[in-house]
Amino acid sequence: MKGSLTRGMVFALAGLCLIWQAEARSAPNAPAVASGVEACAPGGPCAHPLPVRVVIVTMFEIGADTGDLPGEFQLWKERRHLDVRIPFPQSHHDLYYDPASQVLGMVTGMGTARSATATMALGLDQRFDLSHAYWLVAGIAGIDPADASIGSAAWAHYLVDGDLAHEIDPREIPKDWKTGYFPLGKNGPNDPSPPDPKGEVFELNPALRDWAFALTRDIKLPDDPGIAAARALYTGQPMAQRPPFVLKGDQLAAMTFWHGKLMTDWANDWVRYWTGGKGEFVTSGMEETGTYQAITYLDRIGRADKSRFMVLRAGSNYTMPPPGFTAAQYLLRENQGFAGMHAALESLYLVGSRVIDELTAHWDRYEKTVPK
């Protein structure tokens, strides 16, 4: 997860959000909860659960949910009329709902632990009928300059976890090891034995991903002088210099905010390894493997449908520096504010909304049949 402020400021604001949210829950002018659900305790039995067509999954907000510097949630709440607040004390952030479109918005909190627990908490909450709901993860990300530019939005097929591993300090690795980081159960990074996944990789519904991409591939994404100047630095990397566009690309989720050419090389190798060469690393984030792990469990008991899960990530920053900068220099520079933050948020909204509009406008077609 990447923010437009410094990393420290984002975490500080995240802490303040908990206070503001608690105050908002008791605010006298907060919108009323949809009829029938206000009588149901969070997580308890509910005779008339709210029907949900789409769950918009975001990971963080900066400050208030409306009217200030936006994080991932704010544009969705303001523009899609998610005005009905639903208390959600068993997780990070209250939920918001639009009765007209039956779209539900959530903020999981940053990291795999929060995203997994928030998704599980929602899936088990009997106030909601999620049996036919589509799930759209919409978040900012680091983006590989070999594949795309900041502001570009990528639909994922594979989600790969970057945390489940063995590790020794690079200063202590054997001379024939490329890295000190290698998969659990393997005899070093040079072990050629095939992977035996235990939560390290997930494959989303490729037909749904391809449908969403076909629906959105020609959307003109926002551009501005700021991101044009940032991408111009990436000489010799034509994809990094393109104006923002929609593409297909896979997601690596890891709890460490990493940066640099060597780390980008590792990310590409890691995704290729866990997907058997079928995946292509494009975006880096923190949450998806946790979110989707919860969905797979909920699918087993009919509380969610894993075939209806989509991941859209837009580049707020590059995963490695341009020529002339060291990894440390560019990481510290990025921490003062990502050039692609605003463009990425707008791209997420434009691209994701096209899919949501199609699903909700033709619910008679998509309620029981997943598009492909």
Side-chain angles (χ1 to χ4, degrees), residues 20 30 54 84-85 111 114 125 130 136 147 169 176 178 180 188 196 227 233 252 256 260 297-298 313 361:
W20 292 327
V54 180
V84 177
R85 180 187 60 82
R114 280 183 168 178
D125 196 317
L130 300 163
L136 174 64
D147 297 298
D169 191 290
D176 64 334
K178 182 179 179 180
D196 180 20
I227 60 174
L233 298 173
L252 176 68
T256 301
Y297 292 152
L298 292 167
R313 284 278 183 168

Side-chain angles (χ1 to χ4, degrees), residues 34-45:
S35 178
V37 172
E38 71 271 20
C40 303

Side-chain angles (χ1 to χ4, degrees), residues 15 22 45 47 56 74 85 108 123 135 160 163 185 207 215 219 239 268 275 277 287 308 310 318 321 351-352:
I56 301 170
Q74 188 166 134
R85 180 187 60 82
T108 67
W135 300 72
V160 179
D163 291 322
L215 193 65
I219 293 177
M239 301 306 288
N268 277 280
T275 62
E287 291 83 17
R308 296 173 179 237
M310 296 170 282
Y318 293 104
V351 177

Side-chain angles (χ1 to χ4, degrees), residues 227-238:
I227 60 174
R231 64 178 184 258
L233 298 173
Y234 284 80
T235 55
Q237 295 179 287

Side-chain angles (χ1 to χ4, degrees), residues 13 16 20 23 82 98 257 261:
L13 286 169
L16 289 173
W20 292 327
E23 293 172 345
L82 303 180
D98 173 22
F257 187 102
K261 180 184 183 304

